[in-house]
Amino acid sequence: MDDGPRRPHTGRRRNDAAKEAILDATFRLLSDPGTDGVTIEAIAAEAGVGRQTIYRWWPSKGAVVADALARHARVVVPERDTGSFTADLAAFLTDSFAGLGNEDLANRLRQIVAEAQHDEHVARVLADFTAVRRTALRVLLERGRDAGELAAAADLDMLVDMAYGVLYYRLLVSHAPLDEQAARSLAAELARSAG
Amino acid sequence: MDDGPRRPHTGRRRNDAAKEAILDATFRLLSDPGTDGVTIEAIAAEAGVGRQTIYRWWPSKGAVVADALARHARVVVPERDTGSFTADLAAFLTDSFAGLGNEDLANRLRQIVAEAQHDEHVARVLADFTAVRRTALRVLLERGRDAGELAAAADLDMLVDMAYGVLYYRLLVSHAPLDEQAARSLAAELARSAG
DNA sequence: TATTTGTCGAGACTGAACGTCTCTGCAAAC
DNA sequence: GTTTGCAGAGACGTTCAGTCTCGACAAATA
């Protein structure tokens, strides 16, 4: 049934610059704390593009948002290796928490998590994003375990989830701050898993 | 300026039965995994009520949803006191995780968290709901600490957040299951904070 | 009992937003 | 130079939240 392309491509090609402009505009709007949920209309206007052009590249608003987020997902987690596992862990958590001290970023992440609950595209991006973060923390914990600062039997994946769990739990429920003191306390409790 | 009610109430009174029907209908619809986000229209139809009647009792859809949820929020957390702190903790976490094994409940909680991010009414309900849970777990941890099974210096609030953090993190990102093994491992890591 | 008052269900209406369709212009391949 | 398909613009259909209006009706009062 599907006989595929039966002749070479002709006609005008899609404009990659438009795609870039759309992604940039989307990300810019997502940062704006004022707008609660970005609209396609706003993205098109901000990018100086027709709505249809957006739907030529992506199947839905969620897909655009997901793509825009994904390309900025590689936020740098500074590599720490001061020799002291506890200090490295505390620094890692402090950095992670501090990033969300920026309310723009915190709002963005809240939006992503919310949207991921009913948009599979966003869910996929969030899954990839968090997986990268988990891996980074796990590497740190492995180093600590190999150095004998964590119990050999410790469930490192669970420890990772406990750490990021606190971050997301507090981000989404907002009952307690994600400040430096919290990071220190969390690091201390995690490190208490001493071998 | 506000001279208050200048005469006793007259006229037909609001129908409490309608209010009940609306709340019940809302909760029923929230459980339905098919509908992604309940509509006022659907609530009104399900309750056999006019839309305006809903807005006569609540200011917004979020408020209705929040109220419907709040009245069912008192899910029973069985009181455990077997004498063994570790066993009690494991049982508490196993119960908590098991509740979300029900996909209806898990979906509902996902919806609540998502909606809470941009609806203050829902956010309030979620905050109250989680606060009750945190208190229950904290009592359990205090007992463990008093029994010398947790370090005296342990930051119990942080431990509580680490526990519920794992629950919410896994619920929302879905990278790992909330099964009994997870509950056991989590209990073990928390209890490792031995004094 | 008759009047007043405010709720009832029903449905029209507004406004926001998603996503589709259509139009004219234009750029790239043939 | 013709064909093909993307460009931006905007009209359009649809869904949904929330408001407004209407005739019916129930409760309190006179």
Side-chain angles (χ1 to χ4, degrees), chain B residues 94-189:
Chain B
T94 302
D95 286 346
S96 299
F97 284 17
L100 298 175
N102 178 343
E103 265 305 309
D104 274 10
L105 257 167
N107 280 331
R108 197 146 47 202
L109 189 50
R110 286 193 194 96
Q111 272 188 52
I112 297 166
V113 177
E115 201 140 0
Q117 303 315 309
H118 53 79
D119 187 307
E120 59 174 328
H121 303 287
V122 180
R124 154 91 45 149
V125 171
L126 178 62
D128 291 349
F129 174 75
T130 52
V132 169
R133 303 307 192 92
R134 278 200 303 279
T135 302
L137 178 53
R138 195 180 201 285
V139 167
L140 204 161
L141 293 182
E142 279 167 6
R143 222 161 53 211
R145 184 189 53 191
D146 295 348
E149 303 206 48
L150 281 181
D155 181 344
L156 296 191
D157 286 328
M158 182 54 74
L159 288 178
V160 168
D161 281 10
M162 288 161 79
Y164 278 118
V166 169
L167 189 153
Y168 280 87
Y169 185 47
R170 293 200 173 183
L171 176 77
L172 297 167
V173 177
S174 302
H175 63 285
L178 284 168
D179 54 17
E180 186 174 337
Q181 197 214 310
R184 286 192 193 292
S185 182
L186 175 55
E189 294 302 333

Side-chain angles (χ1 to χ4, degrees), chain B residues 37-105:
Chain B
V38 182
T39 71
I40 286 286
E41 179 72 37
I43 295 173
E46 175 85 8
V49 142
R51 270 199 299 282
Q52 184 66 309
T53 302
I54 297 178
Y55 287 105
R56 214 167 268 128
W57 287 92
W58 295 274
S60 71
K61 192 183 81 162
V64 190
V65 171
D67 240 25
L69 291 169
R71 63 159 33 190
H72 287 86
R74 8 208 118 281
V75 179
V76 185
V77 186
E79 281 291 318
R80 307 266 184 174
D81 198 350
T82 64
S84 157
F85 165 67
T86 313
D88 286 356
L89 179 60
F92 183 98
L93 295 176
T94 302
D95 286 346
S96 299
F97 284 17
L100 298 175
N102 178 343
E103 265 305 309
D104 274 10
L105 257 167

Side-chain angles (χ1 to χ4, degrees), chain A residues 14-91:
Chain A
R14 286 193 195 162
N15 186 354
D16 264 314
K19 185 181 183 184
E20 293 300 308
I22 292 165
L23 287 174
D24 287 350
T26 304
F27 190 74
R28 231 174 297 134
L29 291 174
L30 278 171
S31 315
D32 187 354
T35 53
D36 184 66
V38 182
T39 72
I40 285 286
E41 180 72 36
I43 295 172
E46 175 85 8
V49 141
R51 269 199 300 281
Q52 185 64 279
T53 302
I54 297 178
Y55 287 105
R56 215 167 268 130
W57 287 91
W58 296 274
S60 72
K61 192 183 81 161
V64 190
V65 171
D67 240 25
L69 292 168
R71 63 157 33 189
H72 287 86
R74 6 208 119 282
V75 179
V76 186
V77 186
E79 280 292 318
R80 305 267 184 175
D81 197 351
T82 65
S84 158
F85 165 67
T86 312
D88 287 355
L89 179 60

Side-chain angles (χ1 to χ4, degrees), chain A residues 110-121:
Chain A
R110 287 193 193 96
Q111 274 188 48
I112 295 167
V113 177
E115 199 140 2
Q117 303 314 311
H118 54 78
D119 186 310
E120 58 174 330
H121 302 287

